[in-house]
Amino acid sequence: MTGDNKNLLFAIVLSVIVLIGWNYFYGVPQMEQQRRETQQQSLQQGEAGSAAPAPSGAGGTAAPTAGAAPAAVMTREAALAQAPRVAIDTPKIAGSLSLRGARIDDISLKAYRETVDPRSPNIVLLSPAGSPHPYYAEFGWVTGAGTAVKVPDANTIWSADRERLTPSEPVTLTFDNGEGLIFRRQIAVDDNAMFTVTDSVENTSGQPVTLHPFGLVSRHGVPTTQGFYILHEGLIGVLGDEGLKEVSYSGLEKDPVLAGDTRGQVYKGVTGGFIGITDKYWAAAVVPNQDQPYDGRFSVSPGARGPRFQSDMLGGPQTVAPGATTEVTTRLFAGAKEVAAIDHYEQALGIKRFDLLIDWGWFYFITKPLFRVIDFFFKLFGNFGVAILLVTVIIKAIFFPLANRSYVSMAKMKAVQPEMMAIRDRYADDKMKQQQALMELYKKEKINPLAGCWPILIQIPVFFALYKVLFVTIEMRHAPFFGWIRDLAAPDPTTVFNLFGLIPWDPSQVPVIGHFLMLGIWPIIMGLTMFVQMKMNPEPTDPIQKTMFAWMPVIFTFMLASFPAGLVIYWSWNNLLSVLQQGFIMRKNGVKIELWGNLRNTFSRRAKA
């Protein structure tokens, strides 16, 4: 492959990446976000009511679905005050559980705040029905076929043996249905964010009863999401051998009707895994017994002013004989998706593919190991930015043999450049003979024209994997670098259009084009390093290619201005290392470095113009 063709391929590949990436990461998500925000304004998200059994798609029993909405939305504080509560306090989470319905519906994350400001509010994960953003977990029993007994529902008031739930103090709730059944629920929590819910039923009546245990996570209204194509936010689960299932809020609303007004998906008789609802950094997921089959379901049902989304599991029938007691254990994860914690739960509790609660993406086999390497260096140096720089050096070292072959091939191509030009002149009107003659020349000189393409193509998955790591892992959230970069997962906050903060003006507020005016210091550094890297090689002779290459650093500078700062820092550092690496290999192979001549020619032409 000639130098010009190699450069053209490089330009095409990167341009396609940027165009597709821009469309999926920013264009489509922004339109989708606007649609959701408009819809959100019309929703009343406070909904509660009695839970009523709803038939599954194939008939039979299913987990309950929330009922009617209250007349008005309350503040979160007012909604919390509507029922007696048991406080929850662990090193990672704080909140309470409601004794009405025994719902876990009040969870805040102690270690995470809404912004980088240490005085900003803590992240609120779960909220009770009736609040502006209802999101809660519920456990219990539904009656089996032929059984008509009173079971606790969303309005049942339970009694508690203590007022506080901590890792060392589990809480036991009790409800007597007055018909010979005594329901007990012990709720324990660990130091992080995993609840263990042990439900038991004691039958003091004279008749056997058949019940099904259930666990659910319910969210009322369409939440505000990041809206990025590469990130799943919505209903999620690993359902036995069915594997990972991800259902978006909008996608679920379009599903076929299961029963009545409820839409959704049902996976019957699966074993192992989990089911819940995930955000970018947080999640609430029900974890059933990993050895017992269950029915998993994603569903949405209409509310007074908006949809109610639900992920639930329904266990097999439990027949309780007179004088006997039955017991089932289910777990609930409700917290931040920290990689170490998620992996620990998967291994310690045997939860099937629990690590997929984090959206590692298509390049899972690259993304997760890449995170582990970055995290290793972070623990050594205490700075994720430094870790990214070190990992970039390692990646360059790994790809050094390929890069060396690329530049050796380039050196050979430059050596036979006069012969190639002669062939083109000789067969100017016969492209077929021209290509045949060139291939014979490559074979004679032992040149692989594709050698220069492999380093580019192979590094594309690595680039996307790093982008994924920066974008989805909570460890990168609010992680500072140096100076003005206080969050590697957010774009560079500076912009040249207000002289990097010297002018008290926010360019992002300009209608239509404000998004493009946030051109920070690191994107500019990236653009400059890319410009220098391109000037290392001879300029293309084709005027179209020359124009493309002239504008590409500018286009990439504006494109990457909205990407996470950590990714821009990586690209800038990678460009600089590439310049040093290319210079070393070219000098070693006796190839002329065109940098200074190209720079001189570029600026002299502009000066003359």
Side-chain angles (χ1 to χ4, degrees), residues 185-254:
R185 178 171 301 159
Q186 184 188 74
I187 303 177
V189 66
D190 65 8
D191 288 336
N192 197 339
M194 184 68 80
F195 294 84
T196 300
V197 180
T198 304
D199 269 306
S200 65
V201 181
E202 180 183 356
N203 186 0
T204 62
S205 71
Q207 300 294 328
V209 296
T210 300
L211 303 174
H212 293 257
F214 75 85
L216 65 84
V217 175
S218 182
R219 192 171 209 166
H220 298 195
V222 182
T224 300
T225 63
Q226 296 283 327
F228 287 90
Y229 175 76
I230 66 164
L231 173 70
H232 172 68
E233 294 178 279
L235 292 79
I236 187 173
V238 168
L239 297 146
D241 293 336
E242 296 285 344
L244 176 66
K245 300 296 178 182
E246 297 175 329
V247 184
S248 65
Y249 297 108
S250 59
L252 187 59
E253 292 182 87
K254 298 174 184 176

Side-chain angles (χ1 to χ4, degrees), residues 327-343:
E327 181 179 282
V328 296
T329 298
T330 313
R331 290 185 169 89
L332 169 73
F333 174 81
K337 298 190 295 184
E338 298 172 350
V339 177
I342 297 297
D343 287 350

Side-chain angles (χ1 to χ4, degrees), residues 526-547:
M526 188 284 305
L528 291 174
T529 57
M530 187 175 187
F531 173 78
V532 171
Q533 185 181 14
M534 289 186 169
K535 292 300 180 182
M536 290 284 289
N537 299 312
E539 291 187 344
T541 56
D542 183 80
I544 296 178
Q545 293 184 33
K546 186 179 295 186
T547 302

